[in-house]
Amino acid sequence: MLRLILAVSLLVHVTGAVAAPDDLLRLSPPSTWGDWKLEGSNSNGNITLTNRGPASPQFSQWKESIVTFTFFPIGSTETTISALRQVAMLENSVCDGMNVVQPKVKEDRGFAVAYLQTFCRKHRGIGQGRLGFFKAISGGDRIYVVGVMKVAPTEAFGAAPGMFVGNDVGWIMNWQESTGTYLAAKVFACPDASSPREACSE
């Protein structure tokens, strides 16, 4: 099911934007983007994928994007870990060589939160490497997975997850740090639309 959604959506931006079913998810554009454009949304079964790209002309939208998966309603076996594993498997299916930093779950305030990093050495759809940093949040009847994607030179990837070589190490490490901070501080879910921040997930 998820494979059908991603067959086009992870390679190019989806067209025909519609309202995303992520009303309980709170996220804002990265500060460096200034703002973003809703590139599109696509649904299959209980999963909806929404794609956002930077509005600022200094960024290339095909090189940088934020994808949001909404699993709603969730099945009895769907968890933050299973959702992240599905995303990692699908990213792996379009990559020639991929490393993954495995997620660990933290539970608080009725939510479960986990992070996943993927390092795609060569994405077949774009011919270059790609970094992925994902945050999964589950609570109540839905799971959100928010992923920040960034194209990177294939030759920059080292032999192990998080290991890089060459002249591109500096900006990649900075990207990892700033993206982790962004996901931790600016992406969270709430029990309902009017909930104060202290009632929401980490």
Side-chain angles (χ1 to χ4, degrees):
M1 181 191 318
L2 190 54
R3 182 180 298 275
L4 296 176
I5 295 177
L6 288 181
V8 175
S9 302
L10 280 187
L11 295 176
V12 297
H13 290 294
V14 188
T15 58
V18 297
D22 51 11
D23 54 309
L24 302 182
L25 180 67
R26 297 185 188 175
L27 69 165
S28 56
S31 59
T32 54
W33 282 18
D35 200 359
W36 58 26
K37 296 178 181 178
L38 182 64
E39 298 293 338
S41 186
N42 195 1
S43 297
N44 195 315
N46 73 323
I47 305 170
T48 298
L49 171 65
T50 302
N51 205 333
R52 296 170 171 88
S56 174
Q58 73 187 73
F59 293 96
S60 175
Q61 293 181 1
W62 73 271
K63 288 186 176 181
E64 303 193 56
S65 63
I66 291 178
V67 294
T68 302
F69 301 89
T70 305
F71 294 72
F72 173 78
I74 59 175
S76 59
T77 61
E78 288 177 313
T79 64
T80 51
I81 295 297
S82 69
L84 287 173
R85 284 177 177 164
Q86 287 188 67
V87 171
M89 288 174 60
L90 284 156
E91 184 73 352
N92 186 52
S93 73
V94 294
C95 286
D96 291 325
M98 191 179 83
N99 289 328
V100 175
V101 175
Q102 295 295 336
K104 295 180 180 180
V105 179
K106 181 177 181 180
E107 297 188 16
D108 190 34
R109 306 175 193 170
F111 294 92
V113 177
Y115 292 85
L116 173 78
Q117 292 186 62
T118 60
F119 305 94
C120 174
R121 295 172 182 278
K122 185 177 181 181
H123 189 289
R124 299 187 195 105
I126 57 180
Q128 297 187 51
R130 185 161 73 172
L131 305 166
F133 208 147
F134 300 88
K135 181 178 183 178
I137 308 168
S138 67
D141 56 2
R142 66 196 72 193
I143 300 171
Y144 298 112
V145 178
V146 179
V148 184
M149 315 298 291
K150 175 79 171 180
V151 171
T154 294
E155 60 270 18
F157 290 81
M163 181 184 294
F164 302 99
V165 296
N167 297 325
D168 297 295
V169 173
W171 79 258
I172 289 177
M173 301 301 288
N174 289 336
W175 181 88
Q176 284 185 288
E177 182 178 357
S178 63
T179 302
T181 299
Y182 165 74
L183 288 172
K186 299 295 185 180
V187 176
F188 53 95
C190 298
D192 57 63
S194 61
S195 297
R197 177 67 182 94
E198 56 267 21
C200 303
S201 70
E202 289 191 357

